[in-house]
Amino acid sequence: MKTLSHWIGGKPVEGISGNFGPVYNPATGAQEKQVPFASVDEVDSAVAAAKAAHATWGTSALAKRTSILFKYRELVDAHREEIAQLITAEHGKVHSDALGEVARGLEIVELACGISEKLKGELSTQVSTRVDVSSIRQSLGVVAGITPFNFPAMVPMWMFPLAVACGNTFVLKPSEKVPSAAFKLAELAAEAGLPDGVLNVVNGDKTAVDRILEHPDIAAVSFVGSTPIAKYIHTNGTANGKRVQALGGAKNHMLVLPDADLDLAADSAINAAYGSAGERCMAISVVVAVGDTADPLIEKIKERAGKLTIGPGDDPASEMGPLITKVHRDKVASYVTGAGAQGATVALDGTGFTVEGHEDGHWIGVSLLDNVTPEMDCYRDEIFGPVLSVVRVDTYDEAIALMNNSPWGNGTAIFTRDGGAARHFQLEVEAGMVGVNVPIPVPVGYHSFGGWKDSLFGDHHIYGNDGVHFYTRGKVVTTRWPDPSDGGINLGFPSNG
């Protein structure tokens, strides 16, 4: 069995804590690797390497940083197949989905390559006699990222490329379930010329997380994961004086109006609910069908769902892979059986699905629940699996009230041909990301990603301009160069004359 390593100070470092976690192949259910869990001392070692590196990296030329990032972009692009294979082996998602993840992560690397434009300051001349005022942005120092299992490459690339481009050094704690992609990204960064200690990767569990949150030399923490953990990260990080952006969970709704193209809506519901086996914070998990749209829409969804090919992620024929662990698979299945017991109609039941020759894999088929009501567990909880609920409402106003009553506000979508209705929706719905006939409205790299309400804790969304502001702090400089003829003493209050 392969034992993985940390990446500290520009090189692989074997774990010394004696604690390890299993890394499974979700398609077979077999443990293929073990990952070391960092002790407090090992986290401290990574932070010390990052702090030492910041002494020179934080004052390095923007031209040097961007040159390294351009090289890094080339290397990640050249190794995208290898990175995708690592993702598929540990996460289980199909290869095409893994490749798409790498491509979306590269968008943020490309944004970071243009950091010189993002860090331009402002200047006001002659605000008073011979007085100029300028504003600049500077790095924070050592910053950290704690990332989830569902996007082992993309979410780390949402964080560290921008952070290091801004002059910070970085400590990454990836999910212990999917550690290999993050390690590969660090290797490639070193190959691109990133100085030792600028990017460090420590694997671990709650011990590592808590040390990151309390370490006095870490200035800021980025997190993506479930809402309960996001609350924990934000509460404890800010209590220790850190800047925190913590992105939590979601229950994303897709509103379908009677005038919508139902074929487009059905295709979109399939893609958004069942892609990546539903293990996406931007997955659509609730369709809100207005008026008489529910019956024909459900039939179209069922027809398409019956044609999906579920299998190992490395099989080119597979369109959906397994879930991350057996425990999670069983939890997702419990929501389907529980929905039926609570009065929902189980239009499609994927709980008995398996794959021949891979019976020990973490398999579940697609499930579709009709006549769901807000009181049911399948509606109230984030399931994080291939389960789509349909809620029937009579009017647009009833739909908006239902959606805005949700404690989450990550992403949402409306399907309609009516521009006026779409405009009302984008202004009235309480969510941070909105799609109009777009089921998964994840913003491009130069716009920021983030939700509202219990989907985000902190003041900054991730990447885009918000990301640059999160990883820097502003400074205003007021300058006066006296004219040789100036002189004398004046104790009066300065004026703007």
Side-chain angles (χ1 to χ4, degrees):
M1 182 186 304
K2 182 178 182 180
T3 298
L4 303 176
S5 304
H6 309 297
W7 181 274
I8 299 175
K11 62 181 182 297
V13 175
E14 292 185 6
I16 60 173
S17 71
N19 297 321
F20 296 89
V23 180
Y24 295 99
N25 181 335
T28 64
Q31 180 182 349
E32 297 185 348
K33 306 168 188 173
Q34 62 177 2
V35 60
F37 285 174
S39 64
V40 167
D41 287 344
E42 289 171 297
V43 175
D44 288 353
S45 176
V47 176
K51 183 177 181 180
H54 184 259
T56 53
W57 182 253
T59 57
S60 62
L62 286 175
K64 177 181 179 180
R65 296 181 215 162
T66 54
S67 176
I68 293 171
L69 285 162
F70 271 109
K71 178 63 175 176
Y72 185 61
R73 194 257 174 224
E74 291 178 7
L75 287 171
V76 173
D77 185 45
H79 288 82
R80 66 169 67 204
E81 281 286 343
E82 180 185 354
I83 298 169
Q85 289 169 6
L86 292 172
I87 295 169
T88 294
E90 294 179 356
H91 176 276
K93 66 176 64 176
V94 299
H95 189 63
S96 60
D97 193 18
L99 282 172
E101 171 182 343
V102 177
R104 292 308 300 268
L106 276 171
E107 287 186 8
I108 312 306
V109 179
E110 292 162 358
L111 178 70
C113 288
I115 198 63
S116 55
E117 172 68 21
K118 296 294 183 182
L119 290 183
K120 286 196 307 186
E122 297 176 322
L123 173 66
S124 298
T125 61
Q126 201 68 4
V127 299
S128 185
T129 304
R130 291 187 295 279
V131 175
D132 303 332
V133 177
S134 61
S135 62
I136 59 176
R137 303 201 69 83
Q138 293 181 295
S139 63
L140 302 176
V142 180
V143 298
I146 302 167
T147 56
F149 75 82
N150 58 327
F151 289 101
M154 184 183 75
V155 174
M157 284 195 283
W158 281 3
M159 297 178 184
F160 73 79
L162 266 186
V164 302
C166 291
N168 302 284
T169 54
F170 204 90
V171 176
L172 172 64
K173 207 298 285 184
S175 168
E176 67 278 10
K177 299 180 179 68
V178 289
S180 295
F183 188 90
K184 184 64 183 177
L185 292 174
E187 280 188 320
L188 294 176
E191 186 177 344
L194 198 68
D196 295 349
V198 174
L199 174 61
N200 306 273
V201 179
V202 288
N203 300 296
D205 55 5
K206 188 175 182 293
T207 297
V209 169
D210 286 344
R211 184 54 181 159
I212 287 171
L213 295 178
E214 69 185 20
H215 199 295
D217 290 333
I218 293 178
V221 178
S222 301
F223 171 82
V224 176
S226 68
T227 288
I229 305 302
K231 288 181 178 179
Y232 179 88
I233 297 291
H234 185 259
T235 298
N236 288 277
T238 55
N240 285 296
K242 304 186 189 314
R243 183 181 292 187
V244 178
Q245 55 178 188
L247 282 69
K251 196 73 177 181
N252 303 316
H253 294 65
M254 175 174 141
L255 175 59
V256 182
L257 298 185
D259 70 327
D261 180 332
L262 293 189
D263 287 313
L264 174 62
D267 289 340
S268 298
I270 290 284
N271 296 336
Y274 303 136
S276 199
E279 292 175 323
R280 294 171 174 163
C281 69
M282 287 294 286
I284 291 295
S285 52
V286 180
V287 166
V288 183
V290 177
D292 59 1
T293 60
D295 287 340
L297 180 60
I298 287 171
E299 288 305 311
K300 290 177 182 294
I301 292 173
K302 288 171 62 177
E303 176 188 358
R304 288 159 171 77
K307 299 175 182 178
L308 292 178
T309 301
I310 303 172
D314 57 4
D315 184 343
S318 298
E319 297 171 287
M320 189 183 100
L323 296 184
I324 186 69
T325 64
K326 184 180 185 302
V327 170
H328 184 55
R329 182 262 167 220
D330 292 344
K331 181 180 178 182
V332 171
S334 72
Y335 280 103
V336 179
T337 56
Q342 291 179 343
T345 302
V346 182
L348 291 174
D349 186 347
T351 58
F353 181 84
T354 190
V355 174
E356 185 177 355
H358 294 77
E359 287 82 5
D360 292 331
H362 312 146
W363 301 106
I364 191 167
V366 300
S367 294
L368 179 64
L369 309 175
D370 189 15
N371 297 304
V372 171
T373 61
E375 297 78 23
M376 297 178 182
D377 291 338
C378 64
Y379 180 85
R380 291 189 299 108
D381 297 345
E382 183 182 29
I383 299 175
F384 222 61
V387 180
L388 179 62
S389 297
V390 178
V391 178
R392 298 170 179 245
V393 297
D394 293 328
T395 65
Y396 168 86
D397 289 339
E398 185 181 351
I400 281 290
L402 172 82
M403 298 163 76
N404 286 350
N405 194 46
S406 171
W408 289 293
N410 207 41
T412 188
I414 183 172
F415 279 75
T416 180
R417 291 185 174 95
D418 187 332
R423 188 172 187 278
H424 274 286
F425 179 78
Q426 71 186 41
L427 295 175
E428 294 168 354
V429 72
E430 295 176 6
M433 293 168 283
V434 179
V436 177
N437 297 316
V438 175
I440 306 179
V442 176
V444 294
Y446 37 89
H447 289 271
S448 298
F449 178 105
W452 289 9
K453 299 188 285 190
D454 280 357
S455 294
L456 175 71
F457 301 89
D459 296 328
H460 292 90
H461 290 181
I462 204 165
Y463 67 73
N465 287 335
D466 267 21
V468 174
H469 288 171
F470 180 77
Y471 290 125
T472 57
R473 53 186 171 182
K475 180 181 289 183
V476 178
V477 180
T478 302
T479 305
R480 181 184 184 206
W481 294 108
D483 188 275
S485 64
D486 288 350
I489 296 173
N490 183 352
L491 301 183
F493 195 85
S495 69
N496 290 330

